[in-house]
């Protein structure tokens, strides 16, 4: 699923050039479809609901501290992806102690590490 803070019209415009990604998603939740935005858990709980899953069984990839905090509040496993252009954001992500912190990018994520007790 995709859970983005962007409103639906903005998201649709951005994804116009990434339709192949949307084909892989079973659900998309935009910021204007939930009552409270990140760092509240609403958007992640709604994404899990649309997937028919418990949020605690979901893995959330996020590049923002507000997103990591929201995913943690939903009870999800978290993967923080700090943007190297914003070093202060990397510090904030690390302070939240996500399940995984990928300082070198998503290419360094090992799916075999998903064998965690939840």
């Amino acid at each position: 699923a995709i859970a983005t803070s962007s409103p639906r019209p903005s998201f649709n415009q951005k994804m116009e050039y990434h339709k192949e990604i949307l084909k892989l998603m079973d659900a998309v939740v935009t910021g204007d479809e939930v009552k409270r935005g990140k760092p509240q858990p609403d958007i992640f709980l709604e994404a899990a609901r649309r997937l028919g899953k418990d949020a605690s069984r979901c893995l959330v990839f996020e590049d923002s501290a507000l997103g990591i905090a929201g995913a943690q509040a939903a009870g999800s496993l978290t993967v923080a992806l700090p943007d190297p252009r914003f070093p202060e954001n990397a510090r904030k992500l690390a302070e939240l102690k996500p399940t995984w912190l990928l300082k070198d990018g998503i290419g360094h994520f090992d799916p075999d590490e998903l064998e965690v007790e939840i």
Side-chain angles (χ1 to χ4, degrees):
I2 294 176
T4 178
S5 295
S6 297
R8 179 63 69 167
S10 176
F11 172 78
N12 287 345
Q13 185 176 10
K14 290 177 196 174
M15 295 308 291
E16 198 54 40
Y17 303 100
H18 306 288
K19 292 180 181 177
E20 69 283 357
I21 294 173
L22 286 178
K23 291 178 186 175
L24 300 172
M25 299 298 139
D26 292 325
V28 173
V29 184
T30 58
D32 53 350
E33 297 173 343
V34 294
K35 187 173 182 177
R36 302 176 302 166
K38 300 171 186 176
Q40 300 302 318
D42 302 28
I43 200 163
F44 299 109
L45 295 171
E46 179 60 19
R49 185 193 69 75
R50 291 185 190 184
L51 291 171
K53 303 293 180 192
D54 187 277
S56 68
R57 305 284 299 163
C58 294
L59 179 64
V60 175
F61 290 81
E62 262 291 347
D63 63 351
S64 78
L66 293 177
I68 289 292
Q72 289 172 330
S76 299
L77 298 172
T78 54
V79 180
L81 300 162
D83 187 328
R85 298 173 298 172
F86 306 104
E88 177 62 21
N89 194 37
R91 184 188 60 75
K92 290 178 184 176
L93 288 169
E95 287 174 359
L96 289 168
K97 297 186 178 8
T99 313
W100 292 275
L101 178 62
L102 303 182
K103 295 177 185 175
D104 297 320
I106 197 165
H108 295 272
F109 181 71
D110 183 0
D112 290 335
E113 291 185 30
L114 288 177
E115 294 185 31
V116 295
E117 290 295 319
I118 52 176

